[in-house]
Amino acid sequence: MVEQKKFALFLATPDSEFVKKEYGGYHNVFVSTFGDEGEHWDSFRVVEGEFPDEKDLDKYDGFVISGSSHDSFENDPWILRLCEIVKILDEKKKKILGICFGHQIIARVRGGTVGRARKGPELKLTDITIVKDAIKPGSFFGNEIPDSIAILKLHQDEVLVLPESAKVLAYSEKYEVEMFSIEDHLFCIQGHPEYNREILHEIVDRVLRLGFIKEDFADAAKASMENRGADRKLLETICKNFLKGRVPAN
């Protein structure tokens, strides 16, 4: 019998009312994007201080760190604990997929610098340019490496200085580091492969209502999603291939 694969999701954000109502929580959003039938997924609400015991880390085949409204460069106790756990996982060469805040946390743990985005925040559907020379054909990207990928983005911080040994896999007009990898076990994405248009629309409306963004910024975010969507299927495949150590067939 094939042993059941186990994955852990570190939720660095609380569930919004919308996500709870529509999807039953972010756990389901992530598992429906990155999970496959027959796998076991555990969620840990790290933003509330919930972490797995260190002795249990070995039972997981891979880990996903979500986005967050918190700054990855802050020193809240839960953020420092998350950094400690990531360091342990890195030493064990466990696969970690870092998304947005998670992407920045991995950069921080490995000695990079994270901080406020130099060219300001981003909240929209945008294209990131793939550094094709940095990706081996037949890797988790597959044999057909795209020139660019459309992805939904929501962030005000960025990786300012990459850790040593990190490879930039994608960049954009505004940000030098949209994707990076370290060795074969760390893969990081500034955008949100798990988001759909509805989730981002609701976030735009909410942050506008709370006064965090101006009306024209909200309008531009919605306009970016009007006539096209993110390359969700492609992003999902790349992330799954990475997490599960799949090498696509020719």
Side-chain angles (χ1 to χ4, degrees):
M1 197 173 117
V2 179
E3 202 177 322
Q4 186 183 41
K5 279 196 177 283
K6 292 193 169 95
F7 297 92
L9 171 60
F10 291 164
L11 286 169
T13 184
D15 291 330
S16 66
E17 288 307 315
F18 172 78
V19 162
K20 262 194 277 200
K21 185 166 149 285
E22 291 295 319
Y23 307 102
Y26 273 119
H27 172 90
N28 295 342
V29 171
F30 278 90
V31 175
S32 67
T33 307
F34 303 129
D36 285 307
E37 211 176 314
E39 293 172 349
H40 179 84
W41 283 74
D42 288 327
S43 276
F44 296 91
R45 294 194 174 276
V46 296
V47 69
E48 292 166 17
E50 185 192 0
F51 289 90
D53 286 338
E54 284 183 34
K55 65 175 171 39
D56 291 331
L57 295 175
D58 278 330
K59 72 182 189 188
Y60 293 106
D61 296 285
F63 297 80
V64 178
I65 308 173
S66 81
S68 180
S69 60
H70 292 263
D71 295 326
S72 58
F73 48 84
E74 290 298 341
N75 292 316
D76 298 0
W78 73 270
I79 293 177
L80 294 179
R81 181 64 185 141
L82 178 60
C83 288
E84 284 170 8
I85 294 282
V86 169
K87 193 167 189 305
I88 293 164
L89 295 174
D90 180 29
E91 283 163 3
K92 291 175 179 286
K93 305 285 190 214
K94 287 284 187 182
K95 283 187 182 281
I96 314 175
L97 171 63
I99 292 167
C100 196
F101 170 86
H103 153 102
Q104 296 160 15
I105 286 288
I106 290 171
R108 172 181 175 171
V109 168
R110 284 297 296 246
T113 308
V114 292
R116 278 283 178 268
R118 288 163 289 203
K119 293 184 178 175
E122 189 148 69
L123 173 53
K124 63 192 262 195
L125 174 66
T126 193
D127 293 303
I128 59 175
T129 303
I130 303 301
V131 184
K132 295 173 94 163
D133 291 349
I135 300 163
K136 293 194 296 266
S139 70
F140 57 88
F141 265 77
N143 293 308
E144 295 289 322
I145 300 165
D147 293 318
S148 65
I149 296 177
I151 191 167
L152 293 167
K153 296 194 60 206
L154 162 63
H155 66 109
Q156 60 177 2
D157 302 332
E158 69 171 323
V159 174
L160 298 168
V161 181
L162 265 181
E164 276 182 48
S165 79
K167 276 195 309 191
V168 175
L169 304 182
Y171 63 91
S172 65
E173 280 177 27
K174 277 179 83 169
Y175 308 101
E176 289 171 16
V177 186
E178 290 282 6
M179 274 183 187
F180 74 90
S181 65
I182 298 177
E183 296 169 36
D184 294 325
H185 65 289
L186 303 175
F187 177 44
C188 302
I189 305 173
Q190 181 58 71
H192 286 272
E194 81 285 7
Y195 276 7
N196 59 29
R197 184 186 278 112
E198 290 70 36
I199 290 173
L200 200 64
H201 257 258
E202 192 275 333
I203 291 170
V204 171
D205 289 338
R206 184 157 28 102
V207 294
L208 177 64
R209 202 167 54 243
L210 292 167
F212 294 141
I213 60 171
K214 299 270 195 304
E215 191 88 45
D216 57 348
F217 198 69
D219 290 344
K222 287 183 176 178
S224 73
M225 300 180 267
E226 215 162 85
N227 300 315
R228 65 184 192 126
D231 293 321
R232 290 191 69 213
K233 202 74 209 153
L234 175 60
L235 286 162
E236 183 183 299
T237 301
I238 291 168
C239 292
K240 281 184 174 184
N241 286 347
F242 162 74
L243 269 178
K244 295 152 203 208
R246 291 181 189 152
V247 178
N250 286 327

